Every structure is written in structure tokens, then in C-alpha cells.
Short mmCIF file of all heavy atoms in Angstrom, two decimals:
data_model
loop_
_atom_site.label_atom_id
_atom_site.label_comp_id
_atom_site.label_asym_id
_atom_site.label_seq_id
_atom_site.Cartn_x
_atom_site.Cartn_y
_atom_site.Cartn_z
N ALA Y 227 -3.63 11.48 -12.26
CA ALA Y 227 -2.62 12.50 -12.50
C ALA Y 227 -3.31 13.75 -13.01
O ALA Y 227 -4.27 13.67 -13.78
CB ALA Y 227 -1.63 11.96 -13.53
N LEU Y 228 -2.79 14.87 -12.57
CA LEU Y 228 -3.40 16.15 -12.93
C LEU Y 228 -2.29 17.16 -13.12
O LEU Y 228 -1.32 17.20 -12.39
CB LEU Y 228 -4.32 16.62 -11.81
CG LEU Y 228 -4.97 17.96 -11.94
CD1 LEU Y 228 -5.93 17.96 -13.11
CD2 LEU Y 228 -5.69 18.34 -10.64
N ASP Y 229 -2.41 18.02 -14.13
CA ASP Y 229 -1.43 19.09 -14.40
C ASP Y 229 -2.21 20.39 -14.53
O ASP Y 229 -2.91 20.60 -15.52
CB ASP Y 229 -0.67 18.78 -15.69
CG ASP Y 229 0.42 19.81 -15.97
OD1 ASP Y 229 0.71 20.64 -15.08
OD2 ASP Y 229 0.96 19.81 -17.07
N PRO Y 230 -2.12 21.29 -13.54
CA PRO Y 230 -2.94 22.50 -13.56
C PRO Y 230 -2.60 23.50 -14.68
O PRO Y 230 -3.44 24.31 -15.04
CB PRO Y 230 -2.68 23.11 -12.18
CG PRO Y 230 -1.43 22.51 -11.70
CD PRO Y 230 -1.32 21.17 -12.36
N ASP Y 231 -1.38 23.45 -15.23
CA ASP Y 231 -1.03 24.40 -16.28
C ASP Y 231 -0.79 23.74 -17.64
O ASP Y 231 -0.11 24.30 -18.49
CB ASP Y 231 0.21 25.21 -15.86
CG ASP Y 231 1.47 24.35 -15.77
OD1 ASP Y 231 1.35 23.11 -15.84
OD2 ASP Y 231 2.55 24.91 -15.60
N GLY Y 232 -1.35 22.59 -17.84
CA GLY Y 232 -1.17 21.89 -19.12
C GLY Y 232 -1.91 20.55 -19.12
O GLY Y 232 -3.00 20.47 -18.57
N SER Y 233 -1.27 19.55 -19.64
CA SER Y 233 -1.89 18.23 -19.67
C SER Y 233 -0.84 17.15 -19.42
O SER Y 233 0.34 17.36 -19.58
CB SER Y 233 -2.56 18.01 -21.03
OG SER Y 233 -1.58 18.04 -22.07
N ILE Y 234 -1.31 15.99 -19.03
CA ILE Y 234 -0.45 14.83 -18.79
C ILE Y 234 -0.21 14.13 -20.12
O ILE Y 234 -1.15 13.80 -20.83
CB ILE Y 234 -1.07 13.86 -17.76
CG1 ILE Y 234 -1.31 14.56 -16.45
CG2 ILE Y 234 -0.23 12.62 -17.59
CD1 ILE Y 234 -0.08 15.03 -15.74
N SER Y 235 1.06 13.90 -20.46
CA SER Y 235 1.40 13.17 -21.68
C SER Y 235 1.44 11.67 -21.45
O SER Y 235 1.04 10.89 -22.28
CB SER Y 235 2.74 13.64 -22.23
OG SER Y 235 2.67 14.99 -22.63
N SER Y 236 2.01 11.29 -20.28
CA SER Y 236 2.11 9.86 -19.99
C SER Y 236 2.30 9.66 -18.49
O SER Y 236 2.75 10.52 -17.76
CB SER Y 236 3.26 9.21 -20.75
OG SER Y 236 4.50 9.70 -20.28
N VAL Y 237 1.95 8.44 -18.06
CA VAL Y 237 2.18 7.99 -16.68
C VAL Y 237 2.83 6.62 -16.79
O VAL Y 237 2.30 5.72 -17.47
CB VAL Y 237 0.88 7.92 -15.88
CG1 VAL Y 237 1.12 7.30 -14.51
CG2 VAL Y 237 0.25 9.30 -15.75
N GLN Y 238 3.99 6.46 -16.15
CA GLN Y 238 4.69 5.19 -16.13
C GLN Y 238 4.55 4.60 -14.74
O GLN Y 238 4.76 5.28 -13.73
CB GLN Y 238 6.15 5.35 -16.48
CG GLN Y 238 6.91 4.06 -16.52
CD GLN Y 238 8.41 4.27 -16.79
OE1 GLN Y 238 8.97 5.32 -16.57
NE2 GLN Y 238 9.03 3.23 -17.28
N ILE Y 239 4.22 3.31 -14.69
CA ILE Y 239 4.08 2.58 -13.42
C ILE Y 239 4.98 1.35 -13.52
O ILE Y 239 4.93 0.61 -14.50
CB ILE Y 239 2.63 2.13 -13.16
CG1 ILE Y 239 1.69 3.35 -13.22
CG2 ILE Y 239 2.51 1.41 -11.83
CD1 ILE Y 239 0.23 2.97 -13.19
N TYR Y 240 5.83 1.14 -12.50
CA TYR Y 240 6.69 -0.04 -12.51
C TYR Y 240 7.14 -0.37 -11.10
O TYR Y 240 7.06 0.45 -10.19
CB TYR Y 240 7.90 0.18 -13.40
CG TYR Y 240 8.86 1.25 -12.93
CD1 TYR Y 240 9.96 0.91 -12.15
CD2 TYR Y 240 8.69 2.59 -13.27
CE1 TYR Y 240 10.82 1.90 -11.69
CE2 TYR Y 240 9.55 3.55 -12.86
CZ TYR Y 240 10.60 3.22 -12.04
OH TYR Y 240 11.48 4.17 -11.61
N SER Y 241 7.60 -1.61 -10.95
CA SER Y 241 8.20 -2.02 -9.68
C SER Y 241 9.69 -2.27 -9.93
O SER Y 241 10.03 -3.05 -10.81
CB SER Y 241 7.55 -3.32 -9.16
OG SER Y 241 8.29 -3.77 -8.02
N PRO Y 242 10.55 -1.62 -9.13
CA PRO Y 242 11.97 -1.85 -9.31
C PRO Y 242 12.41 -3.28 -8.98
O PRO Y 242 13.50 -3.70 -9.30
CB PRO Y 242 12.63 -0.83 -8.39
CG PRO Y 242 11.58 -0.31 -7.51
CD PRO Y 242 10.27 -0.63 -8.12
N HIS Y 243 11.52 -4.03 -8.32
CA HIS Y 243 11.84 -5.39 -7.87
C HIS Y 243 11.25 -6.48 -8.75
O HIS Y 243 11.45 -7.66 -8.50
CB HIS Y 243 11.39 -5.59 -6.43
CG HIS Y 243 11.89 -4.53 -5.52
ND1 HIS Y 243 13.22 -4.40 -5.18
CD2 HIS Y 243 11.24 -3.51 -4.90
CE1 HIS Y 243 13.38 -3.36 -4.40
NE2 HIS Y 243 12.19 -2.79 -4.22
N ILE Y 244 10.46 -6.08 -9.78
CA ILE Y 244 9.83 -7.06 -10.65
C ILE Y 244 10.27 -6.81 -12.08
O ILE Y 244 9.93 -5.78 -12.66
CB ILE Y 244 8.29 -6.97 -10.55
CG1 ILE Y 244 7.85 -7.18 -9.12
CG2 ILE Y 244 7.63 -8.02 -11.44
CD1 ILE Y 244 6.36 -6.94 -8.88
N PRO Y 245 11.05 -7.73 -12.66
CA PRO Y 245 11.50 -7.52 -14.03
C PRO Y 245 10.32 -7.39 -15.00
O PRO Y 245 9.29 -8.01 -14.83
CB PRO Y 245 12.30 -8.79 -14.34
CG PRO Y 245 12.61 -9.39 -13.01
CD PRO Y 245 11.52 -8.96 -12.08
N ASN Y 246 10.49 -6.57 -16.00
CA ASN Y 246 9.49 -6.35 -17.07
C ASN Y 246 8.13 -5.91 -16.55
O ASN Y 246 7.10 -6.26 -17.14
CB ASN Y 246 9.35 -7.61 -17.93
CG ASN Y 246 10.67 -8.05 -18.50
OD1 ASN Y 246 11.42 -7.24 -19.00
ND2 ASN Y 246 10.95 -9.32 -18.39
N SER Y 247 8.10 -5.12 -15.48
CA SER Y 247 6.82 -4.70 -14.89
C SER Y 247 6.39 -3.30 -15.34
O SER Y 247 5.38 -2.82 -14.91
CB SER Y 247 6.90 -4.74 -13.35
OG SER Y 247 7.84 -3.79 -12.90
N SER Y 248 7.17 -2.68 -16.21
CA SER Y 248 6.88 -1.30 -16.58
C SER Y 248 5.69 -1.20 -17.53
O SER Y 248 5.59 -1.93 -18.53
CB SER Y 248 8.11 -0.68 -17.27
OG SER Y 248 7.87 0.67 -17.61
N VAL Y 249 4.77 -0.29 -17.22
CA VAL Y 249 3.62 0.00 -18.04
C VAL Y 249 3.57 1.51 -18.24
O VAL Y 249 3.70 2.26 -17.29
CB VAL Y 249 2.31 -0.46 -17.35
CG1 VAL Y 249 1.10 -0.06 -18.15
CG2 VAL Y 249 2.33 -1.94 -17.10
N THR Y 250 3.44 1.95 -19.50
CA THR Y 250 3.32 3.38 -19.79
C THR Y 250 1.92 3.63 -20.35
O THR Y 250 1.51 3.04 -21.32
CB THR Y 250 4.39 3.84 -20.81
OG1 THR Y 250 5.70 3.59 -20.24
CG2 THR Y 250 4.25 5.32 -21.09
N LEU Y 251 1.23 4.52 -19.68
CA LEU Y 251 -0.16 4.86 -20.03
C LEU Y 251 -0.18 6.26 -20.64
O LEU Y 251 0.47 7.18 -20.14
CB LEU Y 251 -1.04 4.83 -18.79
CG LEU Y 251 -0.92 3.53 -18.00
CD1 LEU Y 251 -1.49 3.70 -16.59
CD2 LEU Y 251 -1.60 2.41 -18.71
N THR Y 252 -0.90 6.44 -21.74
CA THR Y 252 -0.90 7.71 -22.45
C THR Y 252 -2.29 8.37 -22.48
O THR Y 252 -2.45 9.41 -23.12
CB THR Y 252 -0.36 7.54 -23.86
OG1 THR Y 252 -1.16 6.59 -24.56
CG2 THR Y 252 1.09 7.12 -23.86
N ALA Y 253 -3.25 7.81 -21.79
CA ALA Y 253 -4.61 8.37 -21.76
C ALA Y 253 -5.28 7.97 -20.46
O ALA Y 253 -5.04 6.87 -19.94
CB ALA Y 253 -5.42 7.92 -22.95
N PRO Y 254 -6.12 8.85 -19.91
CA PRO Y 254 -6.84 8.46 -18.70
C PRO Y 254 -7.84 7.35 -18.98
O PRO Y 254 -8.28 7.24 -20.13
CB PRO Y 254 -7.55 9.73 -18.26
CG PRO Y 254 -7.34 10.73 -19.34
CD PRO Y 254 -6.37 10.18 -20.36
N PRO Y 255 -8.19 6.54 -18.05
CA PRO Y 255 -7.74 6.59 -16.66
C PRO Y 255 -6.35 5.99 -16.54
O PRO Y 255 -6.03 5.01 -17.20
CB PRO Y 255 -8.74 5.76 -15.90
CG PRO Y 255 -9.22 4.75 -16.91
CD PRO Y 255 -9.17 5.46 -18.25
N TYR Y 256 -5.52 6.61 -15.73
CA TYR Y 256 -4.14 6.13 -15.57
C TYR Y 256 -4.11 5.07 -14.48
O TYR Y 256 -3.82 5.33 -13.32
CB TYR Y 256 -3.22 7.30 -15.19
CG TYR Y 256 -3.24 8.39 -16.23
CD1 TYR Y 256 -3.86 9.62 -15.99
CD2 TYR Y 256 -2.64 8.21 -17.47
CE1 TYR Y 256 -3.88 10.63 -16.94
CE2 TYR Y 256 -2.65 9.21 -18.43
CZ TYR Y 256 -3.27 10.40 -18.16
OH TYR Y 256 -3.29 11.39 -19.11
N GLN Y 257 -4.44 3.84 -14.88
CA GLN Y 257 -4.47 2.74 -13.93
C GLN Y 257 -3.99 1.48 -14.61
O GLN Y 257 -4.11 1.34 -15.82
CB GLN Y 257 -5.84 2.56 -13.33
CG GLN Y 257 -6.93 2.27 -14.33
CD GLN Y 257 -8.33 2.29 -13.72
OE1 GLN Y 257 -8.52 2.81 -12.63
NE2 GLN Y 257 -9.27 1.71 -14.40
N ALA Y 258 -3.44 0.60 -13.81
CA ALA Y 258 -2.93 -0.68 -14.34
C ALA Y 258 -3.20 -1.76 -13.33
O ALA Y 258 -3.30 -1.52 -12.14
CB ALA Y 258 -1.42 -0.59 -14.65
N THR Y 259 -3.32 -2.99 -13.83
CA THR Y 259 -3.51 -4.17 -12.96
C THR Y 259 -2.30 -5.07 -13.10
O THR Y 259 -1.91 -5.42 -14.23
CB THR Y 259 -4.80 -4.92 -13.39
OG1 THR Y 259 -5.90 -4.01 -13.27
CG2 THR Y 259 -5.02 -6.14 -12.50
N PHE Y 260 -1.73 -5.43 -11.97
CA PHE Y 260 -0.61 -6.37 -11.96
C PHE Y 260 -1.09 -7.63 -11.27
O PHE Y 260 -1.68 -7.55 -10.15
CB PHE Y 260 0.58 -5.77 -11.20
CG PHE Y 260 1.15 -4.55 -11.88
CD1 PHE Y 260 0.67 -3.30 -11.62
CD2 PHE Y 260 2.20 -4.69 -12.77
CE1 PHE Y 260 1.18 -2.18 -12.26
CE2 PHE Y 260 2.75 -3.60 -13.39
CZ PHE Y 260 2.25 -2.33 -13.14
N THR Y 261 -0.87 -8.76 -11.86
CA THR Y 261 -1.29 -10.04 -11.28
C THR Y 261 -0.07 -10.89 -11.00
O THR Y 261 1.01 -10.66 -11.53
CB THR Y 261 -2.25 -10.80 -12.19
OG1 THR Y 261 -1.61 -11.03 -13.45
CG2 THR Y 261 -3.54 -10.01 -12.42
N ASN Y 262 -0.29 -11.88 -10.14
CA ASN Y 262 0.79 -12.82 -9.79
C ASN Y 262 2.04 -12.14 -9.27
O ASN Y 262 3.16 -12.44 -9.65
CB ASN Y 262 1.14 -13.74 -10.98
CG ASN Y 262 -0.04 -14.55 -11.44
OD1 ASN Y 262 -0.79 -15.05 -10.61
ND2 ASN Y 262 -0.21 -14.67 -12.73
N LEU Y 263 1.83 -11.18 -8.36
CA LEU Y 263 2.98 -10.48 -7.77
C LEU Y 263 3.71 -11.46 -6.85
O LEU Y 263 3.11 -12.27 -6.19
CB LEU Y 263 2.50 -9.27 -6.95
CG LEU Y 263 1.80 -8.19 -7.77
CD1 LEU Y 263 1.30 -7.09 -6.84
CD2 LEU Y 263 2.77 -7.59 -8.80
N PRO Y 264 5.03 -11.35 -6.82
CA PRO Y 264 5.78 -12.26 -5.96
C PRO Y 264 5.48 -11.97 -4.47
O PRO Y 264 5.35 -10.82 -4.09
CB PRO Y 264 7.24 -11.94 -6.29
CG PRO Y 264 7.22 -10.58 -6.86
CD PRO Y 264 5.88 -10.41 -7.51
N SER Y 265 5.33 -13.01 -3.68
CA SER Y 265 5.10 -12.88 -2.27
C SER Y 265 6.44 -12.57 -1.59
O SER Y 265 7.46 -13.09 -1.98
CB SER Y 265 4.52 -14.17 -1.70
OG SER Y 265 4.37 -14.06 -0.32
N SER Y 266 6.38 -11.71 -0.59
CA SER Y 266 7.61 -11.38 0.13
C SER Y 266 7.46 -11.61 1.61
O SER Y 266 7.81 -10.80 2.42
CB SER Y 266 7.99 -9.94 -0.18
OG SER Y 266 6.89 -9.08 0.06
N GLY Y 267 6.85 -12.75 1.99
CA GLY Y 267 6.71 -13.09 3.40
C GLY Y 267 5.28 -12.97 3.88
O GLY Y 267 4.36 -12.69 3.12
N GLN Y 268 5.10 -13.18 5.18
CA GLN Y 268 3.73 -13.19 5.76
C GLN Y 268 3.06 -11.83 5.57
O GLN Y 268 1.89 -11.79 5.26
CB GLN Y 268 3.80 -13.53 7.23
CG GLN Y 268 4.08 -14.99 7.48
CD GLN Y 268 4.04 -15.28 8.97
OE1 GLN Y 268 4.21 -14.39 9.81
NE2 GLN Y 268 3.82 -16.55 9.32
N ARG Y 269 3.74 -10.76 5.78
CA ARG Y 269 3.13 -9.42 5.62
C ARG Y 269 4.00 -8.62 4.66
O ARG Y 269 4.40 -7.50 4.93
CB ARG Y 269 3.04 -8.71 6.97
CG ARG Y 269 2.21 -9.44 7.99
CD ARG Y 269 0.76 -9.54 7.62
NE ARG Y 269 0.10 -8.28 7.84
CZ ARG Y 269 -1.10 -8.03 7.43
NH1 ARG Y 269 -1.82 -8.92 6.80
NH2 ARG Y 269 -1.66 -6.86 7.67
N GLY Y 270 4.29 -9.20 3.53
CA GLY Y 270 5.23 -8.58 2.58
C GLY Y 270 4.64 -7.39 1.86
O GLY Y 270 3.45 -7.18 1.83
N ALA Y 271 5.55 -6.58 1.33
CA ALA Y 271 5.15 -5.39 0.59
C ALA Y 271 5.79 -5.43 -0.77
O ALA Y 271 6.90 -5.94 -0.94
CB ALA Y 271 5.58 -4.15 1.32
N THR Y 272 5.13 -4.90 -1.75
CA THR Y 272 5.71 -4.73 -3.09
C THR Y 272 5.71 -3.25 -3.39
O THR Y 272 4.70 -2.56 -3.24
CB THR Y 272 4.83 -5.48 -4.15
OG1 THR Y 272 4.77 -6.85 -3.80
CG2 THR Y 272 5.43 -5.34 -5.53
N SER Y 273 6.86 -2.70 -3.76
CA SER Y 273 6.99 -1.29 -4.06
C SER Y 273 6.75 -1.02 -5.54
O SER Y 273 7.16 -1.79 -6.40
CB SER Y 273 8.41 -0.82 -3.71
OG SER Y 273 8.62 -0.95 -2.34
N PHE Y 274 6.06 0.10 -5.79
CA PHE Y 274 5.84 0.56 -7.15
C PHE Y 274 6.26 2.03 -7.23
O PHE Y 274 6.15 2.76 -6.28
CB PHE Y 274 4.38 0.43 -7.57
CG PHE Y 274 4.00 -0.98 -7.92
CD1 PHE Y 274 3.54 -1.85 -6.94
CD2 PHE Y 274 4.07 -1.41 -9.22
CE1 PHE Y 274 3.19 -3.14 -7.27
CE2 PHE Y 274 3.71 -2.73 -9.56
CZ PHE Y 274 3.29 -3.58 -8.58
N VAL Y 275 6.72 2.44 -8.42
CA VAL Y 275 7.05 3.80 -8.70
C VAL Y 275 6.08 4.31 -9.76
O VAL Y 275 5.81 3.57 -10.74
CB VAL Y 275 8.52 3.93 -9.21
CG1 VAL Y 275 8.83 5.36 -9.59
CG2 VAL Y 275 9.49 3.41 -8.15
N VAL Y 276 5.56 5.50 -9.57
CA VAL Y 276 4.64 6.12 -10.54
C VAL Y 276 5.25 7.46 -10.98
O VAL Y 276 5.58 8.28 -10.12
CB VAL Y 276 3.24 6.36 -9.92
CG1 VAL Y 276 2.31 6.99 -10.95
CG2 VAL Y 276 2.70 5.06 -9.37
N VAL Y 277 5.47 7.62 -12.28
CA VAL Y 277 6.11 8.83 -12.82
C VAL Y 277 5.20 9.42 -13.88
O VAL Y 277 4.84 8.75 -14.85
CB VAL Y 277 7.49 8.51 -13.43
CG1 VAL Y 277 8.13 9.76 -13.99
CG2 VAL Y 277 8.40 7.87 -12.38
N ALA Y 278 4.81 10.69 -13.70
CA ALA Y 278 3.98 11.38 -14.65
C ALA Y 278 4.82 12.40 -15.42
O ALA Y 278 5.68 13.08 -14.85
CB ALA Y 278 2.85 12.11 -13.96
N THR Y 279 4.58 12.48 -16.74
CA THR Y 279 5.28 13.46 -17.60
C THR Y 279 4.19 14.33 -18.23
O THR Y 279 3.20 13.83 -18.74
CB THR Y 279 6.07 12.75 -18.71
OG1 THR Y 279 7.01 11.86 -18.07
CG2 THR Y 279 6.82 13.73 -19.57
N ASP Y 280 4.42 15.68 -18.19
CA ASP Y 280 3.41 16.55 -18.76
C ASP Y 280 3.77 16.97 -20.17
O ASP Y 280 4.82 16.59 -20.71
CB ASP Y 280 3.13 17.75 -17.87
CG ASP Y 280 4.25 18.78 -17.82
OD1 ASP Y 280 5.22 18.69 -18.61
OD2 ASP Y 280 4.17 19.68 -16.99
N ASN Y 281 2.90 17.78 -20.79
CA ASN Y 281 3.08 18.17 -22.18
C ASN Y 281 4.29 19.10 -22.39
O ASN Y 281 4.72 19.27 -23.52
CB ASN Y 281 1.79 18.86 -22.70
CG ASN Y 281 1.46 20.11 -21.89
OD1 ASN Y 281 1.44 20.08 -20.67
ND2 ASN Y 281 1.15 21.21 -22.57
N ARG Y 282 4.84 19.63 -21.34
CA ARG Y 282 6.04 20.47 -21.44
C ARG Y 282 7.33 19.73 -21.08
O ARG Y 282 8.40 20.31 -20.98
CB ARG Y 282 5.90 21.69 -20.55
CG ARG Y 282 4.76 22.60 -20.94
CD ARG Y 282 4.65 23.77 -20.04
NE ARG Y 282 3.56 24.62 -20.41
CZ ARG Y 282 3.24 25.72 -19.77
NH1 ARG Y 282 3.98 26.10 -18.72
NH2 ARG Y 282 2.22 26.42 -20.14
N GLY Y 283 7.21 18.43 -20.83
CA GLY Y 283 8.39 17.63 -20.46
C GLY Y 283 8.69 17.60 -18.98
O GLY Y 283 9.68 17.00 -18.55
N GLY Y 284 7.85 18.24 -18.18
CA GLY Y 284 8.02 18.20 -16.73
C GLY Y 284 7.72 16.80 -16.22
O GLY Y 284 6.83 16.12 -16.71
N VAL Y 285 8.50 16.37 -15.22
CA VAL Y 285 8.39 15.01 -14.70
C VAL Y 285 8.26 15.08 -13.19
O VAL Y 285 8.97 15.85 -12.53
CB VAL Y 285 9.61 14.14 -15.08
CG1 VAL Y 285 9.55 12.77 -14.45
CG2 VAL Y 285 9.75 14.06 -16.58
N ASN Y 286 7.33 14.29 -12.66
CA ASN Y 286 7.18 14.19 -11.21
C ASN Y 286 6.75 12.75 -10.89
O ASN Y 286 6.06 12.14 -11.70
CB ASN Y 286 6.16 15.18 -10.69
CG ASN Y 286 6.28 15.43 -9.18
OD1 ASN Y 286 7.03 14.77 -8.51
ND2 ASN Y 286 5.51 16.40 -8.70
N GLY Y 287 7.19 12.27 -9.75
CA GLY Y 287 6.84 10.89 -9.43
C GLY Y 287 6.79 10.66 -7.93
O GLY Y 287 7.14 11.51 -7.13
N THR Y 288 6.36 9.47 -7.60
CA THR Y 288 6.28 9.04 -6.20
C THR Y 288 6.39 7.52 -6.18
O THR Y 288 6.28 6.84 -7.20
CB THR Y 288 4.99 9.51 -5.55
OG1 THR Y 288 5.08 9.30 -4.14
CG2 THR Y 288 3.78 8.79 -6.11
N SER Y 289 6.62 7.01 -4.98
CA SER Y 289 6.63 5.54 -4.84
C SER Y 289 5.53 5.15 -3.84
O SER Y 289 5.18 5.94 -2.95
CB SER Y 289 7.99 5.03 -4.36
OG SER Y 289 8.29 5.55 -3.09
N ILE Y 290 5.01 3.97 -4.02
CA ILE Y 290 3.98 3.47 -3.11
C ILE Y 290 4.33 2.03 -2.73
O ILE Y 290 4.98 1.29 -3.51
CB ILE Y 290 2.56 3.51 -3.71
CG1 ILE Y 290 2.53 2.74 -5.05
CG2 ILE Y 290 2.11 4.93 -3.91
CD1 ILE Y 290 1.14 2.60 -5.63
N ASP Y 291 3.94 1.59 -1.57
CA ASP Y 291 4.12 0.23 -1.11
C ASP Y 291 2.76 -0.42 -0.98
O ASP Y 291 1.86 0.13 -0.32
CB ASP Y 291 4.83 0.17 0.24
CG ASP Y 291 6.28 0.59 0.16
OD1 ASP Y 291 6.91 0.37 -0.87
OD2 ASP Y 291 6.77 1.15 1.17
N LEU Y 292 2.57 -1.55 -1.65
CA LEU Y 292 1.35 -2.33 -1.50
C LEU Y 292 1.60 -3.45 -0.51
O LEU Y 292 2.53 -4.21 -0.67
CB LEU Y 292 0.94 -2.91 -2.83
CG LEU Y 292 0.67 -1.89 -3.96
CD1 LEU Y 292 0.34 -2.63 -5.25
CD2 LEU Y 292 -0.42 -0.92 -3.58
N ILE Y 293 0.78 -3.50 0.51
CA ILE Y 293 0.97 -4.51 1.56
C ILE Y 293 0.02 -5.67 1.25
O ILE Y 293 -1.16 -5.48 0.98
CB ILE Y 293 0.62 -3.94 2.95
CG1 ILE Y 293 1.41 -2.66 3.23
CG2 ILE Y 293 0.82 -4.99 4.02
CD1 ILE Y 293 2.88 -2.83 3.27
N GLU Y 294 0.56 -6.89 1.33
CA GLU Y 294 -0.23 -8.07 1.09
C GLU Y 294 -1.29 -8.17 2.20
O GLU Y 294 -1.00 -7.95 3.36
CB GLU Y 294 0.62 -9.32 1.10
CG GLU Y 294 1.59 -9.40 -0.06
CD GLU Y 294 2.41 -10.67 0.02
OE1 GLU Y 294 1.84 -11.77 0.17
OE2 GLU Y 294 3.64 -10.54 -0.07
N ASN Y 295 -2.49 -8.53 1.81
CA ASN Y 295 -3.58 -8.70 2.79
C ASN Y 295 -3.83 -10.18 2.95
O ASN Y 295 -4.68 -10.77 2.30
CB ASN Y 295 -4.84 -7.97 2.28
CG ASN Y 295 -5.93 -7.98 3.31
OD1 ASN Y 295 -5.69 -8.34 4.44
ND2 ASN Y 295 -7.11 -7.60 2.91
N LYS Y 296 -3.04 -10.79 3.84
CA LYS Y 296 -3.16 -12.22 4.08
C LYS Y 296 -3.65 -12.50 5.48
O LYS Y 296 -3.35 -11.74 6.39
CB LYS Y 296 -1.78 -12.90 3.93
CG LYS Y 296 -1.26 -12.97 2.55
CD LYS Y 296 0.06 -13.77 2.58
CE LYS Y 296 0.63 -14.04 1.24
NZ LYS Y 296 1.84 -14.82 1.30
N SER Y 297 -4.36 -13.58 5.61
CA SER Y 297 -4.74 -14.02 6.94
C SER Y 297 -3.51 -14.65 7.62
O SER Y 297 -2.66 -15.21 6.95
CB SER Y 297 -5.84 -15.09 6.87
OG SER Y 297 -6.97 -14.56 6.22
N PRO Y 298 -3.43 -14.58 8.93
CA PRO Y 298 -2.31 -15.22 9.61
C PRO Y 298 -2.32 -16.71 9.39
O PRO Y 298 -3.38 -17.31 9.29
CB PRO Y 298 -2.51 -14.86 11.07
CG PRO Y 298 -3.57 -13.83 11.12
CD PRO Y 298 -4.30 -13.89 9.83
N GLN Y 299 -1.16 -17.33 9.35
CA GLN Y 299 -1.06 -18.76 9.19
C GLN Y 299 -0.43 -19.35 10.44
O GLN Y 299 0.52 -18.80 10.99
CB GLN Y 299 -0.22 -19.13 7.98
CG GLN Y 299 -0.84 -18.72 6.67
CD GLN Y 299 0.00 -19.10 5.49
OE1 GLN Y 299 1.16 -19.48 5.61
NE2 GLN Y 299 -0.59 -19.04 4.34
N VAL Y 300 -0.98 -20.46 10.89
CA VAL Y 300 -0.45 -21.12 12.10
C VAL Y 300 -0.12 -22.56 11.70
O VAL Y 300 -0.89 -23.23 11.02
CB VAL Y 300 -1.52 -21.15 13.24
CG1 VAL Y 300 -1.00 -21.91 14.42
CG2 VAL Y 300 -1.88 -19.74 13.60
N THR Y 301 1.07 -23.02 12.11
CA THR Y 301 1.47 -24.40 11.84
C THR Y 301 1.75 -25.06 13.18
O THR Y 301 2.51 -24.56 14.01
CB THR Y 301 2.77 -24.42 10.99
OG1 THR Y 301 2.52 -23.70 9.78
CG2 THR Y 301 3.19 -25.85 10.69
N ILE Y 302 1.09 -26.19 13.40
CA ILE Y 302 1.32 -26.96 14.63
C ILE Y 302 2.32 -28.05 14.29
O ILE Y 302 2.10 -28.87 13.41
CB ILE Y 302 0.00 -27.58 15.15
CG1 ILE Y 302 -0.98 -26.45 15.47
CG2 ILE Y 302 0.25 -28.47 16.35
CD1 ILE Y 302 -2.37 -26.93 15.85
N THR Y 303 3.42 -28.03 15.02
CA THR Y 303 4.50 -29.00 14.74
C THR Y 303 4.56 -30.13 15.73
O THR Y 303 5.21 -31.15 15.51
CB THR Y 303 5.87 -28.29 14.71
OG1 THR Y 303 6.09 -27.64 15.97
CG2 THR Y 303 5.90 -27.27 13.59
N ALA Y 304 3.86 -29.99 16.88
CA ALA Y 304 3.84 -31.09 17.85
C ALA Y 304 2.57 -30.92 18.70
O ALA Y 304 2.12 -29.77 18.92
CB ALA Y 304 5.07 -31.02 18.73
N PRO Y 305 2.02 -32.00 19.18
CA PRO Y 305 0.83 -31.86 20.05
C PRO Y 305 1.22 -31.22 21.38
O PRO Y 305 2.35 -31.36 21.82
CB PRO Y 305 0.35 -33.30 20.22
CG PRO Y 305 1.46 -34.17 19.79
CD PRO Y 305 2.35 -33.37 18.91
N VAL Y 306 0.28 -30.53 21.98
CA VAL Y 306 0.50 -29.94 23.30
C VAL Y 306 0.46 -31.05 24.32
O VAL Y 306 -0.45 -31.90 24.31
CB VAL Y 306 -0.62 -28.88 23.60
CG1 VAL Y 306 -0.44 -28.31 24.99
CG2 VAL Y 306 -0.57 -27.78 22.56
N PRO Y 307 1.46 -31.11 25.25
CA PRO Y 307 1.47 -32.22 26.23
C PRO Y 307 0.34 -32.14 27.22
O PRO Y 307 -0.23 -31.16 27.51
CB PRO Y 307 2.81 -32.05 26.95
CG PRO Y 307 3.38 -30.76 26.53
CD PRO Y 307 2.58 -30.25 25.37
#
């Protein structure tokens, strides 16, 4: 996060789909690690919102989607005739 006419007061990172996932950071580096994210299918995505607040109370944010990086899975249910 960068503020050309002041400074960043805080950065909040959360997922609207994961309860209690909100993290508020008040000093650089503005980064967080989330573990044990819920799986949402073979190529599922987890959405996060990032909101920065500057020293003047200005707020700006964006959302990002993290895509699971899984290998394809194959299940054989019957032998080939």
C-alpha cells in the first residue's frame, strides 16, 4: 500500500466467505498468511478484500481471487471392457 500525499494508517484483509478472517495491519509490510482455507471444488477460488486507510481517513480497496493450485484428480469407477 502506498499513499503519495500522506501515509497509510492501516490495511485490512478479510474474506467475506470465511468467518473471523479479518486481519488489520498497522505497519509495513502489509501482508498476512491464511492457512487451512476451505476448499471450493477442483479449481475453487477464495475471495479476499483488501482495504487501505490513510492518515487523513481516506479509504480505498480492492478484491482479489486466489485460485487453488491443485493437480487434476481422476477416479476410475469400473474397468475398461
Side-chain angles (χ1 to χ4, degrees):
L228 175 67
D229 183 11
D231 66 351
S233 61
I234 300 296
S235 295
S236 67
V237 174
Q238 181 183 23
I239 305 171
Y240 66 93
S241 173
H243 308 291
I244 303 173
N246 304 315
S247 65
S248 181
V249 174
T250 300
L251 308 164
T252 57
Y256 302 108
Q257 60 188 17
T259 301
F260 295 87
T261 58
N262 299 320
L263 297 175
S265 177
S266 51
Q268 286 184 338
R269 301 294 285 171
T272 302
S273 297
F274 282 88
V275 176
V276 181
V277 179
T279 303
D280 72 9
N281 60 311
R282 297 180 181 180
V285 176
N286 199 352
T288 191
S289 63
I290 57 173
D291 291 328
L292 301 178
I293 307 297
E294 292 179 51
N295 187 11
K296 289 185 174 181
S297 300
Q299 294 181 346
V300 177
T301 303
I302 299 174
T303 57
V306 176

